[in-house]
Amino acid sequence: MATDSNTKKVALVTGSANGIGKAIVRKLASDGYAVVINDLEFNKEKAEAFAEELKAQGHEASVLFADVSDFEQVKSMVNSLERLDVMVANAAVVAPVDFITDDHIDGWQKTFDVNLKGHLLCYKFAAIKMIAQGWGGRIIGASSIVGRKPEPGRMTYSATKWAIRGLTQQAAYELGKHNITVNCYAPGLINSELAQQYMASSPQAAELMNTVIKSQAVGRIGEPEDVAQLVSFLASEGAGFITGQTVSIDGGIVFT
Ligand SMILES: NC(=O)c1ccc[n+]([C@@H]2O[C@H](COP(=O)([O-])OP(=O)(O)OC[C@H]3O[C@@H](n4cnc5c(N)ncnc54)[C@H](O)[C@@H]3O)[C@@H](O)[C@H]2O)c1
């Protein structure tokens, strides 16, 4: 990519005060990007402490609070950046355990708003900015193993993660001519706050997660750093011919 070489490349990672997003920010900072940490304002202390930690290590880091499900907030967050080279739409919420036979759809709207609309808005405003810059870019989203295969009790969450794969393909198809690639990662079980919260949410959820680990080829839980390594590659110059893909990072659960 022929870029503006006067300023450092910028990578924005949503939902990065915690877990996988935080590990991605750390890795992209060490790859040489000026990193922008995004999260909800209630995570202010964590996000700002993280930015300070990165700055103390000599990295360029800043924090922007925005709810990824809010059109105007995502638009102004992206527009406030001097430049944008890598957008990682990572933020999501996990829906409570739910089944098709439940007599309610609690959690459906919020899960779709944050996970799917959140990805749409991040992809959209990143694409608009990258096209205007004129040198291309990388857009990376977060699907899941349950965006590839069903698991009991994951109905709503799984539906959002399947939809993110479709959104990724559609955006990749539209944006290739602008030298913008769009891919997403599909983690299996990764040791983050979200996974710990889910496992603690009910005995059913904990049992389900243990079954997942037993079914993997690599018999350990994944770490956020495993996903960060993949994102680092997808963001790199060398990944310029990969687009529209959902890349599994699951210790060998789904073989495609
Ligand atoms: N951990 C896993 O096992 C696993 C597996 C498959 C996919 N994933 C996906 O990976 C991504 C990261 O997951 P994680 O495990 O690190 O989650 P996490 O809960 O540890 O971190 C998610 C972050 O997103 C933030 N966030 C939530 N709603 C937001 C909003 N509306 N706007 C901005 N920020 C918001 C949260 O405050 C949190 O800091 C998610 O998309 C998740 O669905 C995780």
Side-chain angles (χ1 to χ4, degrees), residues 41-103:
E41 196 135 14
F42 85 91
N43 273 321
K44 188 173 166 61
E45 252 175 58
K46 269 190 185 174
E48 288 178 348
F50 181 35
E52 288 313 310
E53 178 199 321
L54 292 170
K55 284 192 236 172
Q57 292 164 1
H59 301 301
E60 245 179 80
S62 57
V63 182
L64 289 175
F65 297 107
D67 178 339
V68 295
S69 66
D70 185 295
F71 187 97
E72 291 302 333
Q73 288 186 38
V74 178
K75 186 176 183 177
S76 51
M77 171 171 72
V78 172
N79 288 346
S80 74
L81 298 171
E82 202 179 326
R83 63 181 280 175
L84 180 63
D85 299 276
V86 179
M87 161 65 88
V88 185
N90 166 77
V93 288
V94 66
V97 172
D98 65 341
F99 296 91
I100 193 70
T101 48
D102 290 344
D103 185 22

Side-chain angles (χ1 to χ4, degrees), residues 64-220:
L64 289 175
F65 297 107
D67 178 339
V68 295
S69 66
D70 185 295
F71 187 97
E72 291 302 333
Q73 288 186 38
V74 178
K75 186 176 183 177
S76 51
M77 171 171 72
V78 172
N79 288 346
S80 74
L81 298 171
E82 202 179 326
R83 63 181 280 175
L84 180 63
D85 299 276
V86 179
M87 161 65 88
V88 185
N90 166 77
V93 288
V94 66
V97 172
D98 65 341
F99 296 91
I100 193 70
T101 48
D102 290 344
D103 185 22
H104 65 80
I105 54 166
D106 299 351
W108 176 271
Q109 195 60 53
K110 175 156 190 210
T111 310
F112 266 79
D113 282 351
V114 177
N115 298 10
L116 184 56
K117 185 178 167 199
H119 269 68
L120 171 69
L121 297 177
C122 290
Y123 281 20
K124 178 184 290 299
F125 292 113
I128 292 168
K129 187 162 188 85
M130 287 170 182
I131 291 169
Q133 286 172 171
W135 60 73
R138 301 275 187 263
I139 298 176
I140 301 164
S143 180
S144 166
I145 202 66
V146 296
R148 286 202 184 276
K149 73 183 239 320
E151 274 175 12
R154 313 297 310 269
M155 195 187 59
T156 302
Y157 179 76
S158 161
T160 66
K161 295 296 177 178
W162 276 89
I164 286 165
R165 294 180 56 203
L167 186 71
T168 299
Q169 291 185 9
Q170 187 67 33
Y173 186 69
E174 284 185 32
L175 296 172
K177 61 178 175 289
H178 299 286
N179 199 20
I180 298 168
T181 63
V182 192
N183 295 288
C184 59
Y185 44 93
L189 188 52
I190 306 292
N191 192 13
S192 70
E193 288 83 348
L194 183 124
Q196 287 161 8
Q197 199 186 320
Y198 181 74
M199 283 190 266
S201 69
S202 72
Q204 262 173 319
E207 194 186 316
L208 176 64
M209 292 295 114
N210 286 328
T211 313
V212 171
I213 297 180
K214 281 189 203 141
S215 73
Q216 291 170 195
V218 178
R220 67 164 171 90

